[in-house]
């Protein structure tokens, strides 16, 4: 539970009592590569922390899939639309490796947040953190080239590039695999 605890503790200081309460509603799940853990057009009932492995979020388009997020150890998996509005999510999340996840039932988590101010503040910090990441990703997509975004991936998540198939990296960058190969050749 090392990666999950590191992520939880990095967001907001929690007392041992609050941390134990949050851990107490987690269930470890060992799931295989290729497993779909969140499905588009479905109201999801769980939130996951990635202890070991990689996941990707994508949307189905008429001709292909568009990958828009990768999660690694310490990251969490959530359908915000399902959790906040109780509406079907738009994303599908697939495991890219065999994974160890910690699953939390959304209703239990919300009840815990409503009864514990520390955990409510922790969840607010988590939402703020994700909002900033989303804003940064949006800005990068508007002003940076695929090569610049690839270079940032190479700098910030080098293991991701070794663990994920190039077709998903290309999809994430919004380019073809051929263009990605050219970018990689220029860098070497």
């Amino acid at each position: 539970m090392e990666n999950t605890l590191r992520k939880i503790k990095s967001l907001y200081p929690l007392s041992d009592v609050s941390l134990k309460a949050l851990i107490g509603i987690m269930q470890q799940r060992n799931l295989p590569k290729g497993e779909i853990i969140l499905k588009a057009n479905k109201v999801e009932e769980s939130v996951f922390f990635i202890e070991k492995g990689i996941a990707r979020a994508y949307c189905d388009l008429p001709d292909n899939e568009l990958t828009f997020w990768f999660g690694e150890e310490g990251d969490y998996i959530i359908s915000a639309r399902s959790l906040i509005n109780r509406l079907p999510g738009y994303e599908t999340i697939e495991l890219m490796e065999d994974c160890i996840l910690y699953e939390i039932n959304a209703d239990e988590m919300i009840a815990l947040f409503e009864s514990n101010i520390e955990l409510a503040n922790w969840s607010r910090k988590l939402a703020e953190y994700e909002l900033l990441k989303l804003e940064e990703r949006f800005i990068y997509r508007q002003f940076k080239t695929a090569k610049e975004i690839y270079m940032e991936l190479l700098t910030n998540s080098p293991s991701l590039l070794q663990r994920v198939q190039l077709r998903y990296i290309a999809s994430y960058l919004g380019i073809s695999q051929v263009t990605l190969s050219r970018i990689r050749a220029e860098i070497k």
Side-chain angles (χ1 to χ4, degrees):
M1 186 171 252
E2 179 182 330
N3 293 318
T4 299
L5 287 175
R6 183 174 35 253
K7 177 66 169 196
I8 290 169
K9 291 177 179 179
S10 73
L11 294 169
Y12 185 83
L14 292 173
S15 67
D16 288 342
V17 170
S18 293
L19 185 58
K20 284 179 184 173
L22 184 59
I23 291 169
I25 62 170
M26 293 182 177
Q27 303 244 335
Q28 183 175 322
R29 303 272 315 269
N30 299 323
L31 297 171
K33 175 182 179 177
E35 182 92 5
I36 303 294
I37 60 169
L38 296 183
K39 295 180 179 141
N41 303 314
K42 181 178 181 241
V43 176
E44 294 294 344
E45 302 295 330
S46 295
V47 174
F48 299 88
F49 281 89
I50 304 172
E51 181 61 26
K52 180 179 177 295
I54 292 181
R56 77 174 178 111
Y58 65 92
C59 290
D60 282 313
L61 301 175
D63 302 1
N64 60 357
E65 299 169 346
L66 174 64
T67 298
F68 63 88
W69 173 85
F70 293 106
E72 307 180 76
E73 288 83 0
D75 288 332
Y76 66 94
I77 300 168
I78 185 173
S79 172
R81 190 167 194 240
S82 284
L83 182 67
I84 295 166
N85 293 330
R86 306 307 292 160
L87 293 171
Y90 54 85
E91 68 277 87
T92 296
I93 300 188
E94 174 185 15
L95 302 181
M96 305 304 298
E97 297 177 340
D98 291 344
C99 289
I100 299 172
L101 306 173
Y102 288 101
E103 182 177 11
I104 302 174
N105 175 277
D107 291 334
E108 288 180 46
M109 185 179 72
I110 290 168
L112 192 56
F113 294 164
E114 289 173 350
S115 67
N116 183 311
I117 191 69
E118 278 186 49
L119 288 170
N121 283 329
W122 174 82
S123 71
R124 178 183 49 82
K125 288 306 255 185
L126 183 65
E128 290 170 357
Y129 172 77
E130 282 306 308
L131 178 62
L132 291 173
K133 279 182 19 184
L134 181 62
E135 180 180 75
E136 188 175 280
R137 257 192 313 237
F138 175 75
I139 290 169
Y140 286 159
R141 295 279 181 186
Q142 299 301 312
F143 302 108
K144 295 196 179 210
T145 65
K147 183 177 180 180
E148 290 170 325
I149 297 170
Y150 178 81
M151 292 299 295
E152 287 180 8
L153 268 177
L154 192 59
T155 301
N156 298 331
S157 300
S159 71
L160 183 74
L161 298 173
Q162 296 167 357
R163 297 163 70 188
V164 173
Q165 293 177 20
L166 290 181
R167 68 181 173 149
Y168 299 127
I169 301 293
S171 172
Y172 177 78
L173 296 172
I175 59 176
S176 70
Q177 279 187 254
V178 172
T179 302
L180 177 57
S181 294
R182 281 192 209 119
I183 290 170
R184 290 167 51 101
E186 286 175 23
I187 293 169
K188 291 182 180 180

